[in-house]
Amino acid sequence: MEILVIALIPLSFLLLGAGFLVVAQVSGFVQSAFFNQRHNFSNMVIQQYMERITLAQGQLYQRKQELEVMSGKLSLSNQELGRLNDMKSKFLSMVVHDVRTPLASIKGFSELLVKKNLGEREAGYLKNIVSSTEQLGRLISDLTDLAMIEAGKLKMEKMIFNFPDLAKDILPGLSINAQNKGVELVVHDFPDGVLVDGDKFRLSQVFMNLVNNAIKFTPAGKRVEVSFRREGKYMNTSVKDSGIGIHPSETRKIFEKFYQARHQKDEKLRKQGWGLGLCIAQEVVRAHKGDIGAASPGLGKGSTFWFKIPAGV
Ligand code: ADP
């Protein structure tokens, strides 16, 4: 019995070893078949991808050629557009120049006539002529500025000056405009000495435009507030009114040339302007490396316009 057990042990090891060998071989075979299959499958997928890439490359090349044709056409129309724009700017400055001279003589002669002893009716007519020529004069100067902006010729004549002094010089004239309209003009936080490096004439144009607009768009009996504030390296001037307000969708658009707010229904006020003042103001402020903007809580709720320029040079 013991001998049988002893003989069976190596036999069973032998059988086990053989079993392992067979299993290993079968599994190797299965694995290699599987591997081959996977390999073939990967090859197929790669092949498909290659085909797709080749196709995409072909399409890309075609698009590139189409794009080149289109960009050629675009550059031609750009040149044409540039030429037309130049013509328009030249035409504009010619018209402006030709209108300015006769306008100056109408204004001059009307002012002479005002000094004469005229009847009440004639004096009324003359007042109309003077105010219309003034209005035309403003349009002409705005158009001149626009022509210069478009030709890239709006040059700033900069010098270092005290900004509050400039505001002090302008405010009395603006107060008269406010009084004439029955609007109260209040000035807050007038600063002491703030030096800026800028074009005095152009910056007063910006300031006057914002305050005159505020007076224009505010009904009699209400108020316009002007305030000055140092904001780090900037001098911020803001003009808050209690007038007709601006629709939120238009607070940026009103800085575009010839744009007048469409949500405002007052035709009479619209006819008093041409939508150029803010566009020019924006150019001037940008030429001083500053910023300008407007905010309003909505129609009928007033607006605040502000501009800031570097200060403390
Ligand atoms: P203009 O006043 O001659 O039309 P602007 O460029 O100065 O031209 O202003 C453009 C438009 O912005 C105005 O027509 C008006 O619709 C709007 N706007 C400007 N200022 C104010 C303000 N203070 N309150 C309400 N709307 C304003």
Side-chain angles (χ1 to χ4, degrees):
M1 184 66 181
E2 273 179 7
I3 296 169
L4 191 69
V5 170
I6 291 166
L8 274 176
I9 290 171
L11 196 69
S12 61
F13 273 117
L14 215 69
L15 280 173
L16 213 64
F20 272 131
L21 211 68
V22 170
V23 168
Q25 267 184 356
V26 168
S27 113
F29 177 73
V30 168
Q31 264 181 16
S32 101
F34 189 62
F35 174 77
N36 279 344
Q37 222 178 359
R38 261 176 55 184
H39 187 68
N40 286 343
F41 180 70
S42 311
N43 270 351
M44 232 166 68
V45 172
I46 290 171
Q47 182 92 24
Q48 276 175 2
Y49 276 126
M50 294 285 281
E51 278 166 15
R52 278 189 213 165
I53 289 170
T54 317
L55 195 77
Q57 265 176 341
Q59 283 172 345
L60 214 69
Y61 181 70
Q62 202 183 336
R63 293 276 180 280
K64 190 178 155 242
Q65 276 188 325
E66 283 170 10
L67 221 70
E68 269 167 15
V69 172
M70 268 159 69
S71 105
K73 280 186 190 165
L74 210 71
S75 117
L76 267 179
S77 16
N78 261 351
Q79 277 173 14
E80 183 64 8
L81 223 68
R83 202 179 60 82
L84 288 175
N85 206 28
D86 278 355
M87 268 171 69
K88 192 200 72 189
S89 297
K90 272 186 197 137
F91 175 73
L92 197 67
S93 49
M94 262 163 56
V95 170
V96 161
H97 179 262
D98 288 356
V99 173
R100 181 168 268 172
T101 322
L103 195 68
S105 86
I106 297 174
K107 193 166 178 267
F109 285 121
S110 317
E111 280 165 357
L112 268 180
L113 279 176
V114 168
K115 290 177 189 149
K116 300 269 172 208
N117 259 344
L118 297 170
E120 201 177 313
R121 194 194 278 181
E122 286 78 11
Y125 292 158
L126 212 55
K127 215 175 138 201
N128 265 337
I129 296 176
V130 171
S131 84
S132 301
T133 46
E134 276 168 3
Q135 209 180 340
L136 265 176
R138 279 197 298 275
L139 172 63
I140 294 301
S141 76
D142 279 355
L143 285 175
T144 313
D145 287 349
L146 184 68
M148 291 213 280
I149 288 169
E150 295 198 333
K153 285 183 185 157
L154 191 76
K155 296 274 176 289
M156 297 296 129
E157 286 173 21
K158 292 189 181 173
M159 59 187 287
I160 295 173
F161 67 94
N162 188 23
F163 185 77
D165 285 348
L166 176 86
K168 235 181 240 165
D169 287 347
I170 298 168
L171 278 163
L174 294 169
S175 295
I176 294 173
N177 293 351
Q179 264 172 33
N180 289 341
K181 173 89 191 279
V183 168
E184 187 189 3
L185 181 66
V186 185
V187 180
H188 298 294
D189 314 323
F190 206 82
D192 284 334
V194 182
L195 291 182
V196 300
D197 182 13
D199 185 319
K200 260 181 152 179
F201 169 72
R202 292 294 173 188
L203 288 174
S204 41
Q205 191 183 5
V206 174
F207 183 54
M208 287 199 300
N209 179 258
L210 298 194
V211 181
N212 278 327
N213 270 353
I215 296 169
K216 177 165 119 184
F217 292 102
T218 300
K222 300 244 172 149
R223 165 191 274 210
V224 168
E225 293 167 74
V226 177
S227 48
F228 304 91
R229 206 175 49 243
R230 277 300 294 261
E231 269 178 17
K233 287 182 186 158
Y234 292 90
M235 172 79 224
N236 189 329
T237 305
S238 81
V239 184
K240 182 173 187 277
D241 67 55
S242 38
I244 64 172
I246 304 160
H247 190 274
S249 64
E250 297 191 291
T251 48
R252 277 254 46 98
K253 286 189 186 147
I254 50 174
F255 289 89
E256 290 168 13
K257 65 180 168 192
F258 295 114
Y259 194 92
Q260 296 186 295
R262 286 170 197 157
H263 289 273
Q264 295 169 350
K265 298 288 171 236
D266 198 324
E267 272 303 308
K268 212 172 137 207
L269 281 178
R270 189 169 307 167
K271 282 187 183 145
Q272 286 172 24
W274 297 275
L276 284 175
L278 289 177
C279 158
I280 296 165
Q282 177 169 259
E283 283 299 321
V284 171
V285 171
R286 282 186 182 162
H288 283 83
K289 298 191 170 59
D291 200 5
I292 187 167
S296 169
L299 287 175
K301 294 181 182 157
S303 334
T304 302
F305 282 76
W306 56 268
F307 72 97
K308 56 181 186 181
I309 45 166
V313 282

PDB file of all heavy atoms in Angstrom, residues 209 213-214 216-217 241 244-246 254 259-261 264 273-279 303 305, ligand 1:
ATOM      1  N   ASN A 209     -19.704 119.522 -23.314  1.00  0.00           N
ATOM      2  CA  ASN A 209     -20.659 118.639 -23.988  1.00  0.00           C
ATOM      3  C   ASN A 209     -21.480 117.855 -22.961  1.00  0.00           C
ATOM      4  O   ASN A 209     -22.711 117.785 -23.070  1.00  0.00           O
ATOM      5  CB  ASN A 209     -19.920 117.693 -24.937  1.00  0.00           C
ATOM      6  CG  ASN A 209     -20.874 116.754 -25.635  1.00  0.00           C
ATOM      7  OD1 ASN A 209     -20.986 115.591 -25.265  1.00  0.00           O
ATOM      8  ND2 ASN A 209     -21.612 117.252 -26.613  1.00  0.00           N
ATOM      9  N   ASN A 213     -25.401 118.659 -22.405  1.00  0.00           N
ATOM     10  CA  ASN A 213     -26.345 117.562 -22.650  1.00  0.00           C
ATOM     11  C   ASN A 213     -27.237 117.340 -21.435  1.00  0.00           C
ATOM     12  O   ASN A 213     -28.445 117.165 -21.563  1.00  0.00           O
ATOM     13  CB  ASN A 213     -25.588 116.251 -22.937  1.00  0.00           C
ATOM     14  CG  ASN A 213     -25.294 116.071 -24.411  1.00  0.00           C
ATOM     15  OD1 ASN A 213     -25.748 116.848 -25.236  1.00  0.00           O
ATOM     16  ND2 ASN A 213     -24.542 115.046 -24.747  1.00  0.00           N
ATOM     17  N   ALA A 214     -26.589 117.338 -20.248  1.00  0.00           N
ATOM     18  CA  ALA A 214     -27.364 117.107 -19.014  1.00  0.00           C
ATOM     19  C   ALA A 214     -28.446 118.178 -18.871  1.00  0.00           C
ATOM     20  O   ALA A 214     -29.592 117.874 -18.522  1.00  0.00           O
ATOM     21  CB  ALA A 214     -26.427 117.113 -17.819  1.00  0.00           C
ATOM     22  N   LYS A 216     -29.734 119.965 -21.326  1.00  0.00           N
ATOM     23  CA  LYS A 216     -30.692 119.794 -22.432  1.00  0.00           C
ATOM     24  C   LYS A 216     -31.707 118.678 -22.142  1.00  0.00           C
ATOM     25  O   LYS A 216     -32.891 118.830 -22.407  1.00  0.00           O
ATOM     26  CB  LYS A 216     -29.897 119.472 -23.704  1.00  0.00           C
ATOM     27  CG  LYS A 216     -30.731 119.182 -24.927  1.00  0.00           C
ATOM     28  CD  LYS A 216     -29.851 119.249 -26.160  1.00  0.00           C
ATOM     29  CE  LYS A 216     -29.805 117.951 -26.899  1.00  0.00           C
ATOM     30  NZ  LYS A 216     -28.904 117.948 -28.033  1.00  0.00           N
ATOM     31  N   PHE A 217     -31.238 117.566 -21.575  1.00  0.00           N
ATOM     32  CA  PHE A 217     -32.124 116.413 -21.385  1.00  0.00           C
ATOM     33  C   PHE A 217     -32.789 116.384 -20.000  1.00  0.00           C
ATOM     34  O   PHE A 217     -33.352 115.373 -19.610  1.00  0.00           O
ATOM     35  CB  PHE A 217     -31.353 115.112 -21.640  1.00  0.00           C
ATOM     36  CG  PHE A 217     -30.972 114.944 -23.088  1.00  0.00           C
ATOM     37  CD1 PHE A 217     -29.685 115.193 -23.532  1.00  0.00           C
ATOM     38  CD2 PHE A 217     -31.931 114.564 -24.031  1.00  0.00           C
ATOM     39  CE1 PHE A 217     -29.343 115.059 -24.872  1.00  0.00           C
ATOM     40  CE2 PHE A 217     -31.597 114.420 -25.377  1.00  0.00           C
ATOM     41  CZ  PHE A 217     -30.300 114.674 -25.799  1.00  0.00           C
ATOM     42  N   ASP A 241     -27.609 113.886 -13.893  1.00  0.00           N
ATOM     43  CA  ASP A 241     -28.818 114.685 -14.097  1.00  0.00           C
ATOM     44  C   ASP A 241     -30.056 113.931 -13.651  1.00  0.00           C
ATOM     45  O   ASP A 241     -30.011 112.740 -13.353  1.00  0.00           O
ATOM     46  CB  ASP A 241     -28.922 115.142 -15.563  1.00  0.00           C
ATOM     47  CG  ASP A 241     -29.151 113.998 -16.526  1.00  0.00           C
ATOM     48  OD1 ASP A 241     -30.117 113.250 -16.329  1.00  0.00           O
ATOM     49  OD2 ASP A 241     -28.359 113.850 -17.487  1.00  0.00           O
ATOM     50  N   ILE A 244     -34.335 112.737 -18.665  1.00  0.00           N
ATOM     51  CA  ILE A 244     -35.154 111.705 -19.321  1.00  0.00           C
ATOM     52  C   ILE A 244     -34.532 110.300 -19.274  1.00  0.00           C
ATOM     53  O   ILE A 244     -35.190 109.321 -19.606  1.00  0.00           O
ATOM     54  CB  ILE A 244     -35.476 112.083 -20.793  1.00  0.00           C
ATOM     55  CG1 ILE A 244     -34.198 112.155 -21.634  1.00  0.00           C
ATOM     56  CG2 ILE A 244     -36.221 113.396 -20.868  1.00  0.00           C
ATOM     57  CD1 ILE A 244     -34.486 112.335 -23.121  1.00  0.00           C
ATOM     58  N   GLY A 245     -33.275 110.195 -18.854  1.00  0.00           N
ATOM     59  CA  GLY A 245     -32.648 108.871 -18.706  1.00  0.00           C
ATOM     60  C   GLY A 245     -32.378 108.172 -20.032  1.00  0.00           C
ATOM     61  O   GLY A 245     -32.768 108.658 -21.100  1.00  0.00           O
ATOM     62  N   ILE A 246     -31.717 107.023 -19.940  1.00  0.00           N
ATOM     63  CA  ILE A 246     -31.329 106.269 -21.145  1.00  0.00           C
ATOM     64  C   ILE A 246     -31.684 104.800 -20.934  1.00  0.00           C
ATOM     65  O   ILE A 246     -31.469 104.258 -19.840  1.00  0.00           O
ATOM     66  CB  ILE A 246     -29.807 106.395 -21.407  1.00  0.00           C
ATOM     67  CG1 ILE A 246     -29.420 107.870 -21.520  1.00  0.00           C
ATOM     68  CG2 ILE A 246     -29.387 105.655 -22.670  1.00  0.00           C
ATOM     69  CD1 ILE A 246     -27.961 108.132 -21.297  1.00  0.00           C
ATOM     70  N   ILE A 254     -24.787 105.297 -27.621  1.00  0.00           N
ATOM     71  CA  ILE A 254     -24.856 106.751 -27.805  1.00  0.00           C
ATOM     72  C   ILE A 254     -23.480 107.377 -28.056  1.00  0.00           C
ATOM     73  O   ILE A 254     -23.387 108.533 -28.432  1.00  0.00           O
ATOM     74  CB  ILE A 254     -25.549 107.459 -26.608  1.00  0.00           C
ATOM     75  CG1 ILE A 254     -24.927 107.003 -25.290  1.00  0.00           C
ATOM     76  CG2 ILE A 254     -27.050 107.206 -26.622  1.00  0.00           C
ATOM     77  CD1 ILE A 254     -25.449 107.767 -24.094  1.00  0.00           C
ATOM     78  N   TYR A 259     -25.385 108.638 -33.538  1.00  0.00           N
ATOM     79  CA  TYR A 259     -26.388 107.842 -32.817  1.00  0.00           C
ATOM     80  C   TYR A 259     -27.130 108.702 -31.799  1.00  0.00           C
ATOM     81  O   TYR A 259     -26.536 109.373 -30.984  1.00  0.00           O
ATOM     82  CB  TYR A 259     -25.730 106.657 -32.102  1.00  0.00           C
ATOM     83  CG  TYR A 259     -26.757 105.643 -31.639  1.00  0.00           C
ATOM     84  CD1 TYR A 259     -27.103 104.569 -32.437  1.00  0.00           C
ATOM     85  CD2 TYR A 259     -27.414 105.797 -30.414  1.00  0.00           C
ATOM     86  CE1 TYR A 259     -28.074 103.658 -32.030  1.00  0.00           C
ATOM     87  CE2 TYR A 259     -28.378 104.886 -30.001  1.00  0.00           C
ATOM     88  CZ  TYR A 259     -28.697 103.825 -30.813  1.00  0.00           C
ATOM     89  OH  TYR A 259     -29.663 102.929 -30.411  1.00  0.00           O
ATOM     90  N   GLN A 260     -28.444 108.662 -31.889  1.00  0.00           N
ATOM     91  CA  GLN A 260     -29.276 109.327 -30.883  1.00  0.00           C
ATOM     92  C   GLN A 260     -30.197 108.256 -30.299  1.00  0.00           C
ATOM     93  O   GLN A 260     -30.747 107.441 -31.055  1.00  0.00           O
ATOM     94  CB  GLN A 260     -30.093 110.445 -31.521  1.00  0.00           C
ATOM     95  CG  GLN A 260     -29.208 111.563 -32.077  1.00  0.00           C
ATOM     96  CD  GLN A 260     -30.012 112.738 -32.583  1.00  0.00           C
ATOM     97  OE1 GLN A 260     -30.749 112.597 -33.549  1.00  0.00           O
ATOM     98  NE2 GLN A 260     -29.864 113.880 -31.940  1.00  0.00           N
ATOM     99  N   ALA A 261     -30.351 108.255 -28.978  1.00  0.00           N
ATOM    100  CA  ALA A 261     -31.097 107.167 -28.316  1.00  0.00           C
ATOM    101  C   ALA A 261     -32.494 107.001 -28.927  1.00  0.00           C
ATOM    102  O   ALA A 261     -33.238 107.974 -29.043  1.00  0.00           O
ATOM    103  CB  ALA A 261     -31.181 107.448 -26.831  1.00  0.00           C
ATOM    104  N   GLN A 264     -35.786 107.076 -26.477  1.00  0.00           N
ATOM    105  CA  GLN A 264     -36.289 108.369 -25.992  1.00  0.00           C
ATOM    106  C   GLN A 264     -37.280 108.904 -27.012  1.00  0.00           C
ATOM    107  O   GLN A 264     -36.994 108.936 -28.209  1.00  0.00           O
ATOM    108  CB  GLN A 264     -35.126 109.365 -25.835  1.00  0.00           C
ATOM    109  CG  GLN A 264     -34.139 108.942 -24.768  1.00  0.00           C
ATOM    110  CD  GLN A 264     -32.864 109.761 -24.800  1.00  0.00           C
ATOM    111  OE1 GLN A 264     -32.619 110.541 -25.727  1.00  0.00           O
ATOM    112  NE2 GLN A 264     -32.033 109.567 -23.802  1.00  0.00           N
ATOM    113  N   GLY A 273     -29.989 118.170 -32.002  1.00  0.00           N
ATOM    114  CA  GLY A 273     -28.607 117.665 -32.106  1.00  0.00           C
ATOM    115  C   GLY A 273     -28.421 116.742 -33.288  1.00  0.00           C
ATOM    116  O   GLY A 273     -29.346 116.511 -34.065  1.00  0.00           O
ATOM    117  N   TRP A 274     -27.196 116.197 -33.388  1.00  0.00           N
ATOM    118  CA  TRP A 274     -26.879 115.313 -34.521  1.00  0.00           C
ATOM    119  C   TRP A 274     -26.214 114.013 -34.080  1.00  0.00           C
ATOM    120  O   TRP A 274     -25.774 113.222 -34.895  1.00  0.00           O
ATOM    121  CB  TRP A 274     -25.945 116.040 -35.497  1.00  0.00           C
ATOM    122  CG  TRP A 274     -26.580 117.237 -36.091  1.00  0.00           C
ATOM    123  CD1 TRP A 274     -27.389 117.274 -37.198  1.00  0.00           C
ATOM    124  CD2 TRP A 274     -26.508 118.573 -35.606  1.00  0.00           C
ATOM    125  NE1 TRP A 274     -27.816 118.559 -37.405  1.00  0.00           N
ATOM    126  CE2 TRP A 274     -27.292 119.370 -36.455  1.00  0.00           C
ATOM    127  CE3 TRP A 274     -25.867 119.174 -34.522  1.00  0.00           C
ATOM    128  CZ2 TRP A 274     -27.453 120.736 -36.257  1.00  0.00           C
ATOM    129  CZ3 TRP A 274     -26.029 120.532 -34.330  1.00  0.00           C
ATOM    130  CH2 TRP A 274     -26.807 121.291 -35.201  1.00  0.00           C
ATOM    131  N   GLY A 275     -26.097 113.850 -32.779  1.00  0.00           N
ATOM    132  CA  GLY A 275     -25.471 112.619 -32.290  1.00  0.00           C
ATOM    133  C   GLY A 275     -23.977 112.556 -32.550  1.00  0.00           C
ATOM    134  O   GLY A 275     -23.438 111.482 -32.789  1.00  0.00           O
ATOM    135  N   LEU A 276     -23.310 113.713 -32.494  1.00  0.00           N
ATOM    136  CA  LEU A 276     -21.856 113.719 -32.747  1.00  0.00           C
ATOM    137  C   LEU A 276     -21.024 114.048 -31.512  1.00  0.00           C
ATOM    138  O   LEU A 276     -19.884 113.617 -31.389  1.00  0.00           O
ATOM    139  CB  LEU A 276     -21.524 114.741 -33.841  1.00  0.00           C
ATOM    140  CG  LEU A 276     -21.857 114.326 -35.268  1.00  0.00           C
ATOM    141  CD1 LEU A 276     -21.602 115.463 -36.232  1.00  0.00           C
ATOM    142  CD2 LEU A 276     -21.042 113.110 -35.671  1.00  0.00           C
ATOM    143  N   GLY A 277     -21.632 114.819 -30.589  1.00  0.00           N
ATOM    144  CA  GLY A 277     -20.875 115.327 -29.434  1.00  0.00           C
ATOM    145  C   GLY A 277     -20.174 114.235 -28.638  1.00  0.00           C
ATOM    146  O   GLY A 277     -18.988 114.343 -28.328  1.00  0.00           O
ATOM    147  N   LEU A 278     -20.910 113.162 -28.304  1.00  0.00           N
ATOM    148  CA  LEU A 278     -20.319 112.119 -27.455  1.00  0.00           C
ATOM    149  C   LEU A 278     -19.233 111.337 -28.183  1.00  0.00           C
ATOM    150  O   LEU A 278     -18.256 110.913 -27.581  1.00  0.00           O
ATOM    151  CB  LEU A 278     -21.405 111.157 -26.951  1.00  0.00           C
ATOM    152  CG  LEU A 278     -22.366 111.732 -25.908  1.00  0.00           C
ATOM    153  CD1 LEU A 278     -23.430 110.706 -25.537  1.00  0.00           C
ATOM    154  CD2 LEU A 278     -21.622 112.193 -24.661  1.00  0.00           C
ATOM    155  N   CYS A 279     -19.442 111.167 -29.503  1.00  0.00           N
ATOM    156  CA  CYS A 279     -18.438 110.433 -30.294  1.00  0.00           C
ATOM    157  C   CYS A 279     -17.113 111.221 -30.302  1.00  0.00           C
ATOM    158  O   CYS A 279     -16.035 110.656 -30.104  1.00  0.00           O
ATOM    159  CB  CYS A 279     -19.010 110.236 -31.699  1.00  0.00           C
ATOM    160  SG  CYS A 279     -17.802 109.939 -32.954  1.00  0.00           S
ATOM    161  N   SER A 303     -29.521 110.313 -15.706  1.00  0.00           N
ATOM    162  CA  SER A 303     -28.313 109.615 -16.166  1.00  0.00           C
ATOM    163  C   SER A 303     -27.092 110.231 -15.496  1.00  0.00           C
ATOM    164  O   SER A 303     -27.133 111.371 -15.026  1.00  0.00           O
ATOM    165  CB  SER A 303     -28.082 109.776 -17.668  1.00  0.00           C
ATOM    166  OG  SER A 303     -29.257 110.019 -18.349  1.00  0.00           O
ATOM    167  N   PHE A 305     -23.056 110.821 -16.572  1.00  0.00           N
ATOM    168  CA  PHE A 305     -21.965 110.710 -17.545  1.00  0.00           C
ATOM    169  C   PHE A 305     -20.680 111.040 -16.810  1.00  0.00           C
ATOM    170  O   PHE A 305     -20.668 111.906 -15.932  1.00  0.00           O
ATOM    171  CB  PHE A 305     -22.165 111.701 -18.706  1.00  0.00           C
ATOM    172  CG  PHE A 305     -23.196 111.234 -19.696  1.00  0.00           C
ATOM    173  CD1 PHE A 305     -24.549 111.311 -19.406  1.00  0.00           C
ATOM    174  CD2 PHE A 305     -22.807 110.712 -20.910  1.00  0.00           C
ATOM    175  CE1 PHE A 305     -25.499 110.861 -20.311  1.00  0.00           C
ATOM    176  CE2 PHE A 305     -23.745 110.260 -21.828  1.00  0.00           C
ATOM    177  CZ  PHE A 305     -25.100 110.333 -21.522  1.00  0.00           C
TER     178      PHE A 305
HETATM  179  P1  ADP B   1     -26.703 115.137 -29.552  1.00  0.00           P
HETATM  180  O1  ADP B   1     -26.961 115.515 -28.123  1.00  0.00           O
HETATM  181  O2  ADP B   1     -26.292 116.268 -30.403  1.00  0.00           O
HETATM  182  O3  ADP B   1     -27.798 114.319 -30.145  1.00  0.00           O
HETATM  183  P2  ADP B   1     -24.572 113.567 -28.421  1.00  0.00           P
HETATM  184  O4  ADP B   1     -23.544 112.727 -29.104  1.00  0.00           O
HETATM  185  O5  ADP B   1     -24.091 114.585 -27.478  1.00  0.00           O
HETATM  186  O6  ADP B   1     -25.436 114.178 -29.586  1.00  0.00           O
HETATM  187  O7  ADP B   1     -25.553 112.582 -27.677  1.00  0.00           O
HETATM  188  C1  ADP B   1     -26.040 111.430 -28.336  1.00  0.00           C
HETATM  189  C2  ADP B   1     -27.333 110.972 -27.728  1.00  0.00           C
HETATM  190  O8  ADP B   1     -27.125 110.506 -26.378  1.00  0.00           O
HETATM  191  C3  ADP B   1     -28.384 112.060 -27.576  1.00  0.00           C
HETATM  192  O9  ADP B   1     -29.072 112.289 -28.770  1.00  0.00           O
HETATM  193  C4  ADP B   1     -29.283 111.457 -26.490  1.00  0.00           C
HETATM  194  O10 ADP B   1     -30.137 110.498 -27.068  1.00  0.00           O
HETATM  195  C5  ADP B   1     -28.285 110.744 -25.596  1.00  0.00           C
HETATM  196  N1  ADP B   1     -27.868 111.569 -24.439  1.00  0.00           N
HETATM  197  C6  ADP B   1     -26.751 112.305 -24.307  1.00  0.00           C
HETATM  198  N2  ADP B   1     -26.712 112.901 -23.105  1.00  0.00           N
HETATM  199  C7  ADP B   1     -27.824 112.532 -22.448  1.00  0.00           C
HETATM  200  C8  ADP B   1     -28.369 112.808 -21.155  1.00  0.00           C
HETATM  201  N3  ADP B   1     -27.732 113.591 -20.271  1.00  0.00           N
HETATM  202  N4  ADP B   1     -29.557 112.243 -20.822  1.00  0.00           N
HETATM  203  C9  ADP B   1     -30.200 111.438 -21.700  1.00  0.00           C
HETATM  204  N5  ADP B   1     -29.744 111.143 -22.920  1.00  0.00           N
HETATM  205  C10 ADP B   1     -28.579 111.675 -23.298  1.00  0.00           C
END
